[in-house]
Amino acid sequence: MFQKYLTMATLALLIFFSLPQYWEQTDVARADTPSPVPQIMLTDAILADLRARIDRIPTVAADAKQLLADADAFLQVPTIVDEFHIDHKGQLDKLPGVAQKSVERLTTLAMAWRLSGDQRFADRGRLELLGLARLETWYPAHFLGLSRITLAVSLGYSWLGDALSESDRKIINAALIEKALKEGERIYGKDEHYFNTGWLVPHLWAPPVAVPDTLPDGAALADITWPVASFNWNMVCNTGMVLAAIAVMEEETDLAARVLGRALTSLSNGFAHFAPEGAWPEGPMYGALSGRDAAILITSLESVYREDFGLSKAAGLPSFGDYLMHVTGPTGLLFNYGDSDTSTDPIVLPWLATRFNRAEYDWRKTGAPGTSHPAFNLLWRRDDGLNPTVREPTSLWFGGYGLIAMRSAWNNPEATYVAFKAGPIKSHHNNLDAGTFVLDSKGVRWAVDLGAGNYDLPGYFTSDRFKYYRTATIGQNTLSFDGVNQNPTGRAFIEDFAQFSDIDFAIADLSNAYDAPLASIRRGVALIGDDTVLVQDESTPDVPGSMAWTMHTKADITIFGNRATLKQDGQEMTALILSPPDAIFQKRTADPCNTQFDTACKNQHPNTGVHRLMIVPEKKPSNTTHRITVLFSSDIESAQKRVGAGSPLNQWRISATLKGKVPAALPGALGID
């Protein structure tokens, strides 16, 4: 029987191993339960509440029906372990990819059984659990994958507890102890020296390798440094360890207490990434994965201990939903800077909405695809209990990371959207991309970010990373000077951000990113009306090298001098160069093998179907500021009339503020008739 209270010995161990001081003052009572295993997240009380909401709320009933359909589909396919042996012949280095399916499958099957009582779901969940538990190893050489399996088995063990025999529970319990917690404790022990000595250098992280016996000073192997590092592995790996510790606390109290204590110490590094305003430096895909595990972690701790030990008070976490909403364009595609993909699972949004009473955190408003975690959606979604008065700005600035997102409307897949980034360049999964942008309009993404490169390229997670096209500056929608990369440790700053009735804009100082301390390099991006975007760049004469302007697109391009017509998916967009007056567009390949960033080019992504739309001025002004101004609109003639000849970046705010009362010295006020 699962005890109601932690023993004093366990509590002492938790305090001793560096848990926050409020453990000493907090009632750490566990949930009352007759279950032979701890009830984590899906307690009897929560299940009763969920059934009541299914009966009362049609949208929740529809979600429950979909979960049962998903669970039924899992009955028709081989188990995860059987698929592993069929598809990958049991190769351990393929196990991390298989592990990604485990949480979705086990939580779906287990909740389907708890809701319906259909024994088929319990039987299949038991098979999945025992199959994973009986694997010879969970492959600690890739600790992220091990952590996904650990999380899945911990939740499956808890949610299916009443369907498991005593011998089943012993097998699963032993697997969590031997294959997960002991491996985790070994890593915590190796990193303990570094717990209070700060963060390691992100761009020195290396690809997953076998875990060494010792941690060399200065080495930063992701599989062994996640406890002391501040990136997505910290969140994912610690979450797996915490849930496993809770699951086996009765049987292996001392080990579980040690791991739990060290994990909660370590998590301060992971949760620090949400600060100050929720924008995630590694990109939205990795941010969403980290947010998902933060939600699982907090929900689990509260379900067992009635306390999250301050984790939900982390700076920036309440605003993380703003970030995920605004970083998703009306096409449903993410602003996928760094190694991010264009889509992710937005399951953390219903938890954030419920936790922080933010009804506007709804992925359906963004056009993003739904979640692959229907069980978590049912647990966290609260359509009937949120304040209907919400704050929904169409433009937002995440100042800590220098990220700007502007859109003409919500709930409109054809809205115009532009997002760009300044901020610090250096982070895990970073590219040399200060100033890069994406552009959506008419249901099409016109300016694309290429996303992740091939993780298996030599040195991809070391300082060699920037030898490759997708990570180099020329592979971004930004400026380059003689094709030279930006400074990997540089930082860009947002100088100005403004929202008016007919124009939103932001201006960034990119100078430091180009390692040009005596020069000035600035980019302004404006959303004008409902369908016009202006991108303007200015550099002073003392910037070394010739400035080139680049935008990547999947559209078909037709160039007429200073005008480029883009066609894609039956839609049309025009780009027009307003300055310099003699500049013309060029269309160039994005194939790395045809650029100077051709290292191992046959193994780089070929960027098939992607073109570079470029401006490479033939002459560099010798004594004046060099300005490149590009206007985008589906109705370029009307847009050009509104913008006129444009104005210097220093005059954008006053031009917009004057609302048409523009003196002759300020021609072409932005967005003003």
Side-chain angles (χ1 to χ4, degrees), residues 1 15 33 51 73 108 165 226 248 284 341 351 373 427 566 621:
M1 186 70 68
I15 297 169
T33 172
R51 287 197 175 107
T108 301
S165 68
W226 54 264
V248 306
D341 200 350
W351 180 79
H373 291 287
S427 74
L566 311 179

Side-chain angles (χ1 to χ4, degrees), residues 25 38 40 75 93 97 136 148-149 166 177 193 296 347 359 381 399 433 454 461 505-506 567 588 632 635 646 662 672:
Q25 298 122 19
I40 304 173
L75 301 180
D93 61 346
E136 181 180 352
R148 302 314 298 160
I149 294 177
E166 183 177 353
I177 293 168
H193 170 72
I296 293 170
I347 186 57
R381 183 174 171 182
D433 61 357
N454 178 1
F461 288 103
F505 71 81
K567 293 183 178 180
R588 294 189 182 179
F632 296 90
D635 185 355
V662 185
I672 298 173

Side-chain angles (χ1 to χ4, degrees), residues 191-201 225 227-230 269:
D191 285 1
E192 194 162 29
H193 170 72
Y194 296 89
F195 272 178
N196 297 314
T197 59
W199 281 252
L200 299 175
V201 181
T225 60
V228 291
S230 184
N269 288 343

Side-chain angles (χ1 to χ4, degrees), residues 175 220 543 600:
V543 177

Side-chain angles (χ1 to χ4, degrees), residues 355-612:
R355 182 75 185 202
F356 300 109
N357 194 32
R358 296 291 296 274
E360 69 270 30
Y361 291 170
D362 184 347
W363 71 71
R364 289 159 292 196
K365 293 181 180 179
T366 68
T371 179
S372 61
H373 291 287
F376 296 149
N377 183 49
L378 282 169
L379 282 175
W380 293 333
R381 183 174 171 182
R382 293 290 189 277
D383 288 2
D384 58 335
L386 300 179
N387 187 341
T389 303
V390 298
R391 177 176 62 87
E392 291 187 289
T394 53
S395 297
L396 208 58
W397 171 20
F398 298 90
Y401 196 59
L403 188 73
I404 302 287
M406 300 177 279
R407 73 183 67 220
S408 60
W410 291 100
N411 294 313
N412 181 359
E414 295 197 347
T416 300
Y417 169 85
V418 60
F420 85 112
K421 67 182 289 287
I425 294 176
K426 177 180 170 183
S427 74
H428 196 229
H429 290 291
N430 67 308
N431 294 338
L432 303 181
D433 61 357
T436 197
F437 70 98
V438 294
L439 171 61
D440 292 359
S441 188
K442 304 296 183 184
V444 174
R445 173 147 293 180
W446 301 102
V448 303
D449 190 295
L450 298 176
N454 178 1
Y455 285 12
D456 293 329
L457 287 166
Y460 189 83
F461 288 103
T462 71
S463 56
D464 287 341
R465 172 183 180 85
F466 307 117
K467 294 179 180 179
Y468 304 115
Y469 184 87
R470 286 198 172 195
T471 52
T473 300
I474 72 163
Q476 321 304 318
N477 298 332
T478 191
L479 304 172
S480 61
F481 295 85
D482 291 342
V484 176
N485 272 335
Q486 293 175 349
N487 179 359
T489 60
R491 183 178 187 123
F493 302 87
I494 299 296
E495 291 183 345
D496 198 2
F497 173 59
Q499 299 176 79
F500 295 91
S501 60
D502 201 34
I503 173 175
D504 295 353
F505 71 81
I507 299 172
D509 183 344
L510 308 179
S511 308
N512 184 260
Y514 291 95
D515 207 14
L518 302 179
S520 173
I521 304 168
R522 303 164 76 210
R523 164 161 282 187
V525 177
L527 173 60
I528 304 166
D530 292 333
D531 64 355
T532 300
V533 170
L534 188 72
V535 178
Q536 183 164 304
D537 300 295
E538 295 177 358
S539 65
T540 53
D542 45 358
V543 177
S546 177
M547 181 165 70
W549 185 101
T550 299
M551 185 187 91
H552 292 79
T553 183
K554 294 182 179 180
D556 295 326
I557 303 173
T558 304
I559 294 174
F560 303 96
N562 69 342
R563 181 182 299 235
T565 301
L566 311 179
K567 293 183 178 180
Q568 186 176 343
D569 298 337
Q571 300 293 336
E572 186 172 306
M573 168 72 72
T574 300
L576 179 67
I577 302 173
L578 299 182
S579 62
D582 58 348
I584 61 173
F585 281 117
Q586 299 179 25
K587 175 183 172 181
R588 294 189 182 179
T589 179
D591 183 348
C593 293
N594 294 315
T595 72
Q596 68 267 45
F597 289 86
D598 59 354
T599 301
C601 70
K602 296 299 183 183
N603 293 321
Q604 293 191 50
H605 291 303
N607 302 324
T608 304
V610 177
H611 311 288
R612 281 191 291 170

